[in-house]
């Protein structure tokens, strides 16, 4: 009698995690200030704004909830827009999923373009890093707008919400590892997802866009440091950590056009 290998049995028992990227709109940014550190200042580019659904046979978990409607987005970054059908619940609807089906939302960070409409998810636990939460509730004056601070007369999406606070690495379900990647923001975190085909990393804005996946010839680096950060050395270390965890085509930048090359991974 032939024995069925154990790994094979496991694969049959457990449908591996799958990752569905959802574009929630487009943000207009200065390329030098946000994407390519010190290069191409003054050149405006429109980048997509990704949220992700990670689904296996029992869990429906979101990584970020994406951006807001056009009027508010334009206030943040003139020229930004959320076309019809791009809001997070509309994106999920295309996959046959309702907001109440979501068990958990992991926030890479709490900038406006990653947590808008979060209160639609009334059955979900919200996960954020402790440092991010502290900073978001009382931001440095330079970051009042990024966190939609009440000091500007607006209400942030996370106002009054309950969070599960994370302070280091954190395992969520059988296939997800949340890990700290500070630099872009004080309590930024990224998510590694183990699938049947290997590890994918949902980087959030720890890797900002496509260009950051490319070598920086000028500095002799294997990746291109981005332009937007609260701490340049943390930013660099976090990028280095992410690039050590997965192949480049399995790293999803928070605002990378490359993410949209497939509707689902793996
Ligand atoms: Zn962002």
């Amino acid at each position: 009698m032939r024995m069925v290998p154990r790994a094979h049995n496991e694969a049959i028992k457990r449908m591996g995690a799958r990752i569905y990227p959802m574009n929630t709109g487009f943000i207009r940014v200065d390329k030098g200030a946000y994407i390519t550190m010190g290069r191409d200042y003054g050149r405006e580019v429109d980048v997509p704004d990704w949220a992700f659904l990670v689904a296996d046979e029992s869990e429906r978990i979101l990584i970020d909830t994406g951006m807001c409607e056009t009027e508010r987005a334009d206030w943040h970054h003139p020229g930004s827009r959320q076309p019809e059908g791009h809001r997070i619940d509309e994106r999920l609807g295309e996959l046959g999923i309702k907001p109440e089906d979501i068990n958990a939302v992991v926030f890479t960070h709490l900038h406006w373009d990653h947590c808008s409409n979060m209160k639609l998810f009334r059955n979900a636990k919200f996960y954020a890093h402790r440092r991010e939460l502290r900073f978001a509730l009382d931001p440095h004056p330079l970051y009042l707008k990024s966190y939609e601070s009440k000091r500007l007369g607006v209400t942030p999406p996370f106002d009054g919400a309950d969070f599960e606070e994370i302070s280091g690495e954190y395992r969520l379900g059988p296939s997800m590892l949340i890990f700290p990647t500070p630099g872009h923001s004080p309590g930024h975190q990224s998510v590694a997802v183990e699938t049947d085909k290997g590890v994918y990393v949902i980087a959030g804005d720890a890797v900002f866009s496509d260009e950051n996946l490319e070598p920086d010839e000028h500095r002799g680096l294997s990746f291109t440091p981005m332009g937007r950060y609260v701490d340049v050395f943390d930013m660099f270390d976090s990028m280095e950590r992410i690039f050590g965890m997965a192949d480049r085509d399995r790293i999803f930048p928070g605002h990378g056009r490359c993410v949209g090359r497939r509707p689902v991974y793996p």
Side-chain angles (χ1 to χ4, degrees), residues 113-114 205 255:
D113 55 319
H114 295 261
D205 289 0
H255 300 282

Side-chain angles (χ1 to χ4, degrees), residues 64-83:
D64 292 340
T65 56
M67 67 185 277
C68 54
E69 84 285 358
T70 297
E71 194 183 333
R72 176 66 72 92
D74 186 73
W75 173 70
H76 283 284
H77 287 247
S80 302
R81 66 197 194 282
Q82 184 176 61

Side-chain angles (χ1 to χ4, degrees), residues 5-25:
R6 200 176 122 81
H8 186 64
N9 271 338
E10 288 291 312
I12 293 168
K13 256 199 322 226
R14 194 172 77 77
M15 185 194 84
R18 307 199 81 189
I19 303 164
Y20 299 83
M22 297 172 286
N23 180 18
T24 63

Side-chain angles (χ1 to χ4, degrees), residues 127-138:
Y127 293 85
H129 195 282
R130 180 175 298 162
R131 281 186 68 192
E132 187 68 12
L133 210 47
R134 296 264 158 79
F135 192 85
L137 292 170
D138 186 20

